[in-house]
Amino acid sequence: MDLTQITSSVLASGPEIIIILGACVALMLSLVPRPGQGALLAGLSLVMIALAAAMSLTLAQNPQTAYGGMFVNDGFSTFFKMLLYLGTALTILISDRYLGTEDAAKGEYYVLLLFALSGAMIMVSGKDLLIIYVGLELQALSIYVLVGFLTTNTRSNEAALKYVILGAFSSGLLLFGLSLLYGLTGTTQLEAMGEALDSVETSSPLLALATVFLIVGLLFKVGAVPFHMWVPDIYEGAPSPVTGFMSTVGKVAAVAVILRLLIQDLAMLDPIWRGSVEAVAVLTLAAGSFAALVQTNIKRMLAYSSIAHGGFLLLGLLAGGSEGLASVMLYLLIFTVTNLGLFAVIVLLNRGAGQGENIQDFSGLAKSQPGVALMALVFLLSLAGIPPTGGFFAKFYVLVALVDAGFVLLAVFAVLLSAIAAWFYLRVIMLMYMEQNDQPAVFQVSPAIGWALIVTFTGTVLTGVLPAWFLGVSKAAATAGLG
Amino acid sequence: MSLFLIAALPFLGALFPALLIRAGRNAAAASAGFTTFLAFVGLLLNAPAVLRGEVIQARLDWLPGLGLNTNFFLDGLGLLFAGLILGIGLLIILYARFYLSREDPMGQFYTYLLLFQGAMVGIVLSDNILLLLVFWELTSLSSFLLIGYWKHLPEGRQGARMALAVTGSGGLAMIAGMLILGHIVGSYDLTVILQHKEMIQASPLYLPALILILIGAFTKSAQFPFHFWLPHAMAAPTPVSAYLHSATMVKAGLFLMARMWPVLAGTPEWFYIVATTGLITMVLGAVIALFKDDLKALLAFSTVSHLGLITMLLGFGTKIAAVAAVFHIINHATFKAALFMSAGIIDHETHTRDIKRLGGLRFLMPITFTIALIACLSMAGLPPFNGFLSKEMMLEEAFHTSWMGSPYFIPGLAVFAALFSAAYSFRYIVHVFLGPKRHDYPAHPHDPGTGLWLAPAFLVFLVIAIGIGSNHIVGPLVSVAAGAVIGGELPYFSLKLWHGFTPALWMSLAAVTGGLLLLWLHPRLSKMWNAAPRPEAKVIFDSLLGTLTRASRGVTDALHNGSITRYSAIMVAFTIAISLYAYQSGVASEATRAVQQAGALPVIGWICLVSATGFIVLNHRNRLLALVLIGVVGLIVSLSFNYLSAPDLALTQISVEVVTIILMLLALNFLPKETPVESPLAIRARDAVIAIVAGTGVGGLIYALMTRDFSAPSISEFHLANSYKGGGGTNVVNVILVDFRGYDTFGEIIVLGIAALVIYALTEAILGSKVRAYLLNRKPDSPQDGDPHPLMMVVATRVMMPLALMVAAYIFFRGHNLPGGGFIAGLIAAIAMLMQYMASGFSWAAERQKVYYHGIIGSGVLIAAATGMGAWLAGQPFLTSAFGYLHWAPLEEFEWATAALFDLGVFLAVVGAVMLTLESLARLAWQPGMNSEHAMDINPARDDAAKLKEEV
């Protein structure tokens, strides 16, 4: 590797470097606490994210690999990185107020968010199992700390501890799978591994086990049943913006890795995992939809809802091909926007110390805060997949891809379950629009959250009204991903 | 007018009432009426062309990639329905203006109403089944808002929720059906689909698609067993009921069946599902309607019954039946809307809808009486009104249809339903308007103002007009609409009152006579009906929901009880299951390596290992003992490394063991001596089984791995061959660490450093929280030793310090070629310093420690990074090492590899990380009475001054 290669490699990883530098600067700044520092750090983080986004877009003009083929900038990774930027930026916008209400305004928060973002970016761009793993751990470690960020809140502490222990379990399995794969092929680079695997018989039980461990480790990150056990407790206990972050950015990165491995580079493993993933997808949809019905805490409900949405993502994976890939990408885009929009509303309702998370707190919102209630309505409808919001097209595209790939039964099953899932979103809508409340939620929308709401609302509506453009973008990225 | 504009007008119009309500109720109503009127006129402008048999289309791509386009088309069926929706919509807008009271938010009402109207128009004009679905779900949503309009009524909310649950879910089922349909044909455009009858009916997916689409249609049109939501939706304001349940919402299901009739109908499946469902619904609705005392409930069940009638006609699958269905759709819309409005007027004027409290109203409300009388007679099927015509056609068709080979089944039940239909129609007249005048009406009834009766009056005018001059007034419309349903040659039909003495006429006569008889018997029958036990659909629905809720709560509670052991048990169990499945799915290749002979030493070691592990499991509640046993396990592992000729692995392992055991001993300081037993025996047994199975699985996997060669060439050969050549060292492990896989090591030291920093940050945070108070007030369980720093130990550690550091240096330098290396050296150096802390106390040691450990970690990482980057300057990849031989005068020539510099980074990072971690944790071991003045003071009381000041 000579100097020109080094320069080009460094340039190719420019966005990651920008984010990490931003994190370091924020860390330094937060060493000297000052009043009003939160806004400064948030602004800095946003600027860094904007810079990284601009650089990613520039790099996307000219797809290339770097660091000896371990790292790649292609349409696929650029699309996902854009999603990651969007998700993180929205999280930052809704964080300041939450930290203020919970009395936890500390600079490390933004530092950890940026580190988690950089980890996720490395996962998305990694072309080598080890790089991907390093990114995954960087992201996971930062999120572990973020989950326990409310140091005086026992729920938050408990959630962090549970997440660390269960996360370690899944990381162990993932590593086990990676090392088995390495043992079988003698390489960790995805392309070389794909070539080597062509000569290995897929009936080999060792390859099957390696695949299973790999998939279990990744499914844990997506929160697929039965590896979803951590999701509800941790989503409920974590600070609300962090929950939003995990359910979008965390999920986006994990799904990107799954797609890169299973559809793109290691496609020959398909016969091994298909059966299990079908079963997992069905279980995920069913368990997520049914369990959400009876939740009374909005974050816990969204945890199960997010599990059910994970099931839909797996369906897109099962559909496979460029259509399946594009459907998952579009789904993630719409889900990110919608879900974070709803979390912005949750942050607005938060009154500190876990108050304001009961779904009863939504009652009468239409009267006291008609604007916010309308936005929440659109987000909820989108999550339920009711036209003409973006969520409908997200689900719909996955279903089309499934039916076209011949999985009619799965598609029917998914639709029926989303009928059940629609019910618990509607329950919240009922509360907002049809219940009276003597003490309706009263709050001021701060400018930052206002922006977050505007962006997410516009996104949800635009993806519903003009889905063709977004579909085109994800299709182009998916085709670029398949090479 | 363009179809786009017609479909968009109601949506645009929906904006005005909400905005104009400030300008007054009339302005809101007028704006709503005006946009509807515009759309209606637009529709009429297109009518001549449609009546000539043309199909008007408008196309616009929306999501062409998925086959979803905003394509509209207008044919006879669309014209009929759009006309009903907009025409009756106009009347409803007029009626509602006078019906709603001053307290009701009228702007909101008209906004919802127009949204609903737009969605309905969208359904009937869509030329794309996906677009149709979008509008379909919109009607569910907007009707939800309309039904729940009176927020103060709990029944309103319940009814709205039930309607939305049933119709919304049905709509989603329909999405699946439509997807399948589109998949079969390869297009989602209705005009294309309608041309592929054979292809669809031959497809194996025909039945699933049919069932799913029918679920959507049946739920919307309140067909058995989904009929129960409709009566509960009656909590809505009457204009809403009149609109939704006469002409629009419930007709959407019928519309869909009619729309799909050309491609789906004609098969036995269609006949038996649709016709039977329609028949059951017709009979059930008619019977229940007779026994309802609430005017609107009576009308609601009558609506259910009539919807069943139309469904049945469509289900027959014959062309003439389809014509009858279309005709009855028109007739039912006219008389039922009029009846709902009259019920609303009665409610408005008398303040009650209970039939038992009414009667004799013909004297007080003559206009309303006239309107209701005509509409009711039409509903009962008496000539010369329009209801008679379509009922005759229905009976005629029923007479010719046999069901499962029985020619009497359908005609018999049809007459039975018609009989009840006549009975409840008569009851509406007799029990409400006839009879003596009463003196206990809740209000003083009188005829309402013109605004309120004008709309129903217009409708009954239509009822009469269609009845008398049907062939001229609606004949062409029925022809084109039925033509669109049938999609081919129209059969001969004639809409007239007198067809001769046909069987249908006799059946009709029987029904009317029987109806009068039933009305006479009504009081007695009613008593029997009320006494008889019968399944209440709402109760079933509620209990179904309740069961579902309980089941999911049960499952959720069972899975997510917050216990992390249960979570991990479930995850491990599933992993085992999947692994087992994966394993048995293939055939393992034969073992390629022979099992080696074990000597005495390994066997002894193995026995020690197994018994130590066994004892840990048995005694893990005694924490100190468990820790000691873990130490034993670690020791055996280190020894076995040694036995297998990996001395430096052994060294590393031992050092790591020591440090971690010390760490855990520190933690024990804060924990009770014993772990209490918290879970019952059964759970522990379950966990044991899971653990044994998982352990066996992993063991078996490792055994399988070790008895087979990798399919790829082993990497150890490569390393042995290249370690010296490429890395300049003969200690392969060290070369791997610092050279071949230097990347990993680099990552690891960073992680190690971060971990240490995090531990530091965490303990800082903990010391800032409540724990601080706890520490300050803690009373040790057992008395402390007299002298925490015995002189002997102090002296010994002082002596050992330089020795240990020397060993570390030695190990470090020889590491590249012989067992040793930066990692082990770091651990040894750390242990050397640790001894000082232990012997002389924290503050003494910390005072002599001039460099912060943070800095040591950082410099270690930086040195390693700089070394790695140095390789770039030589044009080599990151972390490529170089080595050479140096000769200093007094010394022998020795080898010097850049990897050693990297190793120095590792050394520093390890020292810093270990020390920072232990130091951080040791701060928690502070006990009352300790004295310390250092800045890195362990005394948690140190911050009190600042805090106190703040509090003051």
Side-chain angles (χ1 to χ4, degrees):
Chain A
M1 203 191 246
D2 58 20
L3 216 54
T4 51
Q5 278 174 307
I6 295 162
T7 345
S8 74
S9 285
V10 170
L11 268 181
S13 59
E16 282 81 3
I17 293 176
I18 291 175
I19 295 294
I20 292 177
L21 274 181
C24 294
V25 173
L27 189 60
M28 294 299 149
L29 286 176
S30 66
L31 279 179
V32 194
R34 245 180 266 108
Q37 191 187 37
L40 173 73
L41 291 179
L44 174 78
S45 310
L46 288 177
V47 169
M48 284 303 184
I49 290 173
L51 281 177
M55 182 144 189
S56 286
L57 284 178
T58 323
L59 288 169
Q61 312 286 332
N62 184 14
Q64 56 176 335
T65 58
Y67 298 108
M70 288 178 162
F71 188 91
V72 71
N73 268 316
D74 51 10
F76 181 82
S77 71
T78 310
F79 179 90
F80 277 105
K81 277 186 191 169
M82 288 300 150
L83 273 188
L84 298 175
Y85 298 140
L86 180 66
T88 316
L90 289 171
T91 310
I92 289 173
L93 283 178
I94 64 176
S95 290
D96 195 33
R97 178 197 177 95
Y98 185 86
L99 295 177
T101 349
E102 290 286 349
D103 197 17
K106 278 183 250 169
E108 298 100 277
Y109 181 86
Y110 299 102
V111 178
L112 286 165
L113 268 185
L114 288 182
F115 274 129
L117 170 64
S118 66
M121 290 162 70
I122 293 171
M123 283 165 82
V124 166
S125 268
K127 261 293 207 188
D128 184 295
L129 285 181
L130 280 175
I131 295 293
I132 291 175
Y133 181 73
V134 168
L136 191 135
E137 281 298 304
L138 176 55
Q139 186 223 28
L141 285 170
S142 316
I143 293 183
Y144 294 153
V145 185
L146 282 173
V147 169
F149 203 76
L150 305 178
T151 43
T152 51
N153 181 330
T154 45
R155 276 192 318 161
S156 172
N157 295 349
E158 183 186 329
L161 189 64
K162 279 183 178 163
Y163 194 23
V164 170
I165 294 175
L166 295 174
F169 170 76
S170 78
S171 283
L173 278 181
L174 183 66
L175 267 185
F176 207 13
L178 296 188
S179 47
L180 278 176
L181 276 177
Y182 175 66
L184 284 166
T185 58
T187 179
T188 55
Q189 288 213 15
L190 287 177
E191 264 163 30
M193 186 176 272
E195 283 164 24
L197 279 176
D198 281 335
S199 62
V200 180
E201 281 197 36
T202 48
S203 68
S204 154
L206 287 182
L207 184 59
L209 282 173
T211 315
V212 163
F213 290 143
L214 184 75
I215 287 182
V216 167
L218 292 171
L219 288 184
F220 176 89
K221 296 285 170 203
V222 182
V225 176
F227 310 104
H228 71 298
M229 302 303 298
W230 58 281
V231 177
D233 286 4
I234 281 128
Y235 274 31
E236 189 187 342
S240 301
V242 175
T243 311
F245 183 76
M246 288 164 78
S247 66
T248 52
V249 173
K251 192 166 262 184
V252 166
V255 172
V257 170
I258 289 182
L259 294 178
R260 168 111 48 211
L261 292 181
L262 298 187
I263 293 197
Q264 206 181 340
D265 286 317
L266 306 181
M268 70 291 297
L269 298 179
D270 190 290
I272 300 177
W273 55 259
R274 185 159 286 280
S276 326
V277 172
E278 268 175 30
V280 166
V282 168
L283 274 178
T284 307
L285 277 172
S289 308
F290 278 107
L293 283 178
V294 290
Q295 300 308 322
T296 50
N297 180 299
I298 181 81
K299 276 158 78 184
R300 210 170 168 84
M301 189 199 97
L302 286 178
Y304 284 107
S305 126
S306 142
I307 292 173
H309 284 286
F312 255 93
L313 296 171
L314 291 182
L315 289 182
L317 170 72
L318 285 170
S322 68
E323 287 289 312
L325 201 57
S327 72
V328 174
M329 292 161 91
L330 184 70
Y331 200 106
L332 281 171
L333 168 69
I334 292 171
F335 180 71
T336 302
V337 173
T338 310
N339 214 31
L340 279 172
L342 198 54
F343 269 98
V345 179
I346 292 175
V347 167
L348 281 176
L349 283 172
N350 181 53
R351 299 194 302 273
Q355 298 275 305
E357 285 178 8
N358 196 304
I359 56 170
Q360 288 298 335
D361 290 316
F362 276 84
S363 56
L365 198 65
K367 196 146 216 154
S368 61
Q369 301 277 350
V372 173
L374 179 71
M375 289 186 185
L377 170 78
V378 172
F379 297 140
L380 286 164
L381 290 181
S382 177
L383 284 178
I386 290 169
T389 53
F392 168 74
F393 294 102
K395 282 193 173 158
F396 181 70
Y397 190 19
V398 170
L399 292 175
V400 168
L402 258 189
V403 171
D404 285 348
F407 299 99
V408 176
L409 203 65
L410 269 180
V412 171
F413 182 76
V415 170
L416 295 183
L417 278 176
S418 52
I420 291 167
W423 185 243
F424 51 77
Y425 301 113
L426 295 174
R427 204 159 56 124
V428 182
I429 296 178
M430 292 278 303
L431 283 174
M432 288 195 305
Y433 277 86
M434 301 216 160
E435 290 286 333
Q436 320 272 356
N437 193 346
D438 304 333
Q439 295 161 318
V442 181
F443 48 76
Q444 289 281 311
V445 181
S446 67
I449 296 205
W451 276 109
L453 279 174
I454 289 171
V455 170
T456 49
F457 181 72
T458 323
T460 312
V461 172
L462 272 188
T463 46
V465 179
L466 300 169
W469 187 79
F470 296 94
L471 184 70
V473 170
S474 12
K475 268 196 179 167
T479 334
L482 283 176
Chain B
M1 192 188 287
S2 157
L3 295 182
F4 290 127
L5 199 57
I6 296 175
L9 264 174
F11 289 111
L12 292 177
L15 293 174
F16 297 125
L19 297 175
L20 286 178
I21 190 62
R22 279 166 223 267
R25 289 139 50 91
N26 284 330
S31 67
F34 182 64
T35 39
T36 310
F37 181 70
L38 270 187
F40 191 58
V41 169
L43 188 75
L44 289 183
L45 290 180
N46 283 314
V50 175
L51 288 177
R52 279 197 304 273
E54 290 171 26
V55 174
I56 297 160
Q57 289 191 316
R59 312 181 64 85
L60 187 73
D61 284 352
W62 188 13
L63 196 52
L66 296 185
L68 172 51
N69 299 319
T70 9
N71 293 349
F72 291 109
F73 81 128
L74 184 68
D75 63 352
L77 190 64
L79 179 70
L80 167 64
F81 269 92
L84 283 179
I85 293 160
L86 292 170
I88 296 191
L90 262 179
L91 297 177
I92 294 289
I93 288 170
L94 170 70
Y95 179 80
R97 161 64 190 86
F98 297 96
Y99 182 84
L100 291 177
S101 67
R102 231 162 243 297
E103 291 80 47
D104 295 322
M106 196 175 269
Q108 223 175 52
F109 179 85
Y110 281 119
T111 298
Y112 294 164
L113 193 77
L114 285 184
L115 276 181
F116 175 77
Q117 192 182 59
M120 278 306 300
V121 172
I123 288 184
V124 300
L125 294 185
S126 295
D127 182 18
N128 184 294
I129 49 178
L130 303 177
L131 186 68
L132 192 150
L133 283 173
V134 173
F135 286 118
W136 186 278
E137 292 292 338
L138 270 181
T139 57
S140 293
L141 281 178
S142 46
S143 66
F144 166 76
L145 292 172
L146 280 173
I147 295 172
Y149 175 71
W150 275 336
K151 292 186 181 118
H152 52 273
L153 293 180
E155 311 93 72
R157 289 203 297 271
Q158 268 176 21
R161 202 169 61 179
M162 197 186 280
L164 182 61
V166 176
T167 60
S169 314
L172 285 168
M174 207 170 81
I175 293 185
M178 293 296 193
L179 271 174
I180 299 177
L181 202 62
H183 178 64
I184 298 174
V185 179
S187 164
Y188 292 102
D189 280 347
L190 258 174
T191 30
V192 179
I193 291 176
L194 290 182
Q195 284 157 8
H196 289 85
K197 179 178 181 178
E198 286 76 25
M199 189 198 258
I200 291 169
Q201 298 196 348
S203 162
L205 294 173
Y206 166 70
L207 192 60
L210 176 70
I211 291 175
L212 288 166
I213 292 175
L214 285 180
I215 288 178
F218 285 175
T219 48
K220 203 76 157 184
S221 284
Q223 294 298 297
F224 177 82
F226 308 111
H227 62 281
F228 54 88
W229 69 264
L230 197 147
H232 288 281
M234 288 302 143
T238 302
V240 175
S241 309
Y243 196 38
L244 263 58
H245 304 138
S246 66
T248 53
M249 166 119 156
V250 294
K251 293 278 167 71
L254 300 178
F255 169 79
L256 190 79
M257 285 190 268
R259 190 44 108 203
M260 292 292 167
W261 197 89
V263 288
L264 293 181
T267 60
E269 292 96 329
W270 170 272
F271 174 76
Y272 282 111
I273 298 176
V274 180
T276 314
T277 309
L279 190 65
I280 296 175
T281 316
M282 177 171 78
V283 174
L284 199 70
V287 173
I288 300 178
L290 182 61
F291 298 107
K292 286 289 168 190
D293 288 329
D294 181 359
L295 276 181
K296 279 177 80 179
L298 186 153
L299 291 178
F301 277 103
S302 126
T303 304
V304 169
S305 168
H306 279 271
L307 293 170
L309 188 160
I310 300 169
T311 306
M312 181 182 79
L313 282 174
L314 288 168
F316 284 166
T318 60
K319 289 182 174 179
I320 192 82
V323 176
V326 169
F327 190 37
H328 196 67
I329 287 173
I330 304 175
N331 298 339
H332 177 251
T334 48
F335 67 68
K336 192 50 69 64
L339 278 175
F340 267 119
M341 290 190 207
S342 73
I345 293 174
I346 293 168
D347 189 14
H348 203 256
E349 302 303 330
T350 65
H351 293 192
T352 182
R353 300 194 315 240
D354 190 347
I355 297 181
K356 287 194 173 137
R357 303 185 62 185
L358 296 169
L361 288 179
R362 73 177 182 282
F363 306 109
L364 301 165
M365 306 171 73
I367 301 176
T368 317
F369 171 59
T370 318
I371 291 169
L373 179 67
I374 296 171
C376 267
L377 292 180
S378 177
M379 179 158 81
L382 286 184
F385 306 113
N386 61 0
F388 171 74
L389 295 171
S390 44
K391 201 184 67 177
E392 287 293 283
M393 290 171 87
M394 181 276 282
L395 290 173
E396 181 75 30
E397 274 309 294
F399 185 73
H400 296 299
T401 312
S402 67
W403 193 84
M404 292 266 181
S406 152
Y408 302 113
F409 185 70
I410 290 184
L413 282 176
V415 173
F416 183 73
L419 196 142
F420 272 87
S421 175
Y424 66 66
S425 305
F426 296 147
R427 180 164 182 240
Y428 191 98
I429 298 298
V430 175
H431 288 185
V432 175
F433 291 100
L434 303 184
K437 198 157 79 173
R438 298 171 64 144
H439 303 286
D440 55 348
Y441 302 117
H444 296 292
H446 54 84
D447 263 324
T450 322
L452 218 45
W453 64 253
L454 195 60
F458 178 73
L459 285 168
V460 290
F461 165 71
L462 282 182
V463 166
I464 302 170
I466 296 175
I468 294 170
S470 51
N471 257 338
H472 308 289
I473 296 173
V474 290
L477 186 61
V478 172
S479 296
V480 285
V485 173
I486 295 163
E489 196 77 354
L490 262 184
Y492 169 77
F493 68 93
S494 174
L495 309 176
K496 57 183 184 188
L497 290 167
W498 182 249
H499 287 277
F501 288 101
T502 54
L505 189 66
W506 293 118
M507 285 157 84
S508 213
L509 263 177
V512 173
T513 333
L516 286 170
L517 191 69
L518 261 185
L519 185 65
W520 180 62
L521 287 173
H522 179 263
R524 260 165 284 171
L525 285 175
S526 181
K527 257 183 216 138
M528 278 163 62
W529 174 265
N530 287 329
R534 58 185 182 279
E536 191 69 43
K538 180 179 184 295
V539 178
I540 298 175
F541 177 75
D542 284 345
S543 72
L544 206 68
L545 274 189
T547 318
L548 186 70
T549 317
R550 267 195 305 282
S552 52
R553 182 165 292 137
V555 172
T556 317
D557 290 350
L559 288 180
H560 282 109
N561 63 345
S563 150
I564 193 168
T565 42
R566 178 170 298 189
Y567 295 179
S568 16
I570 290 174
M571 281 170 38
V572 175
F574 267 94
T575 313
I576 294 171
I578 297 187
S579 312
L580 207 65
Y581 171 74
Y583 188 79
Q584 59 83 35
S585 67
V587 186
S589 54
E590 284 294 306
T592 49
R593 286 184 185 172
V595 181
Q596 289 174 327
Q597 287 292 322
L601 223 49
V603 171
I604 293 172
W606 186 78
I607 290 172
C608 290
L609 197 60
V610 170
S611 36
T613 317
F615 274 115
I616 295 178
V617 173
L618 292 178
N619 291 311
H620 71 277
R621 296 190 190 281
N622 182 339
R623 291 178 165 148
L624 188 64
L625 187 58
L627 210 53
V628 171
L629 286 169
I630 288 175
V632 172
V633 172
L635 192 69
I636 306 273
V637 171
S638 318
L639 286 177
S640 60
F641 283 149
N642 207 19
Y643 178 79
L644 295 170
S645 332
D648 62 341
L649 257 189
L651 263 178
T652 315
Q653 182 74 26
I654 286 206
S655 321
V656 171
E657 283 294 331
V658 171
V659 174
T660 44
I661 295 282
I662 290 179
L663 244 172
M664 288 198 271
L665 277 172
L666 257 175
L668 275 194
N669 203 12
F670 299 98
L671 297 170
K673 277 192 184 131
E674 304 226 329
T675 317
V677 183
E678 280 173 339
S679 42
L681 193 65
I683 290 189
R684 276 180 284 156
R686 173 202 76 185
D687 293 347
V689 170
I690 293 176
I692 289 170
V693 174
T696 319
V698 172
L701 177 61
I702 290 171
Y703 182 80
L705 277 175
M706 286 195 299
T707 49
R708 280 166 187 81
D709 291 316
F710 285 133
S711 41
S714 160
I715 48 168
S716 52
E717 304 295 327
F718 169 83
H719 283 127
L720 285 177
N722 288 289
S723 158
Y724 186 72
K725 235 180 1 187
T730 51
N731 175 1
V732 178
V733 176
N734 185 260
V735 173
I736 289 177
L737 279 180
V738 299
D739 191 335
F740 293 142
R741 304 226 55 93
Y743 220 136
D744 298 10
T745 313
F746 185 52
E748 277 159 19
I749 59 173
I750 294 177
V751 171
L752 194 64
I754 292 177
L757 291 176
V758 168
I759 291 173
Y760 171 70
L762 282 179
T763 49
E764 271 292 290
I766 288 173
L767 284 178
S769 68
K770 283 179 197 155
V771 179
R772 204 165 66 95
Y774 167 75
L775 282 177
L776 285 174
N777 301 316
R778 196 161 72 105
K779 296 272 182 295
D781 312 336
S782 42
Q784 302 290 301
D785 285 343
D787 184 3
H789 310 305
L791 186 66
M792 279 296 284
M793 194 158 159
V794 173
V795 172
T797 50
R798 297 285 187 284
V799 175
M800 278 165 76
M801 170 97 174
L803 283 178
L805 287 181
M806 184 70 108
V807 171
Y810 172 70
I811 294 273
F812 176 82
F813 282 115
R814 68 177 223 148
H816 211 49
N817 291 316
L818 293 164
F823 186 71
I824 310 169
L827 288 174
I828 294 173
I831 291 170
M833 292 197 267
L834 208 57
M835 286 192 301
Q836 311 306 314
Y837 278 82
M838 289 173 81
S840 304
F842 191 97
S843 43
W844 183 91
E847 212 168 294
R848 279 149 191 83
Q849 168 59 35
K850 301 286 187 232
V851 188
Y852 281 140
Y853 293 122
H854 307 62
I856 298 182
I857 298 175
S859 61
V861 173
L862 285 179
I863 288 175
T867 318
M869 286 191 275
W872 288 346
L873 299 176
Q876 299 289 322
F878 185 64
L879 281 177
T880 310
S881 68
F883 61 94
Y885 295 90
L886 284 179
H887 186 77
W888 284 347
L891 295 175
E892 285 299 308
E893 181 182 71
F894 69 96
E895 186 199 349
W896 183 247
T898 55
L901 211 54
F902 182 75
D903 224 6
L904 178 66
V906 176
F907 172 82
L908 289 173
V910 169
V911 171
V914 170
M915 292 310 295
L916 184 62
T917 309
L918 290 174
E919 196 188 58
S920 309
L921 289 171
R923 291 142 59 87
L924 299 176
W926 185 86
Q927 284 174 347
M930 282 187 176
N931 287 317
S932 169
E933 290 160 1
H934 189 260
M936 283 274 290
D937 200 326
I938 57 164
N939 186 349
R942 71 199 145 101
D943 298 328
D944 270 359
K947 285 242 166 180
L948 278 175
K949 205 183 280 175
E950 208 172 277
E951 277 162 20
V952 168

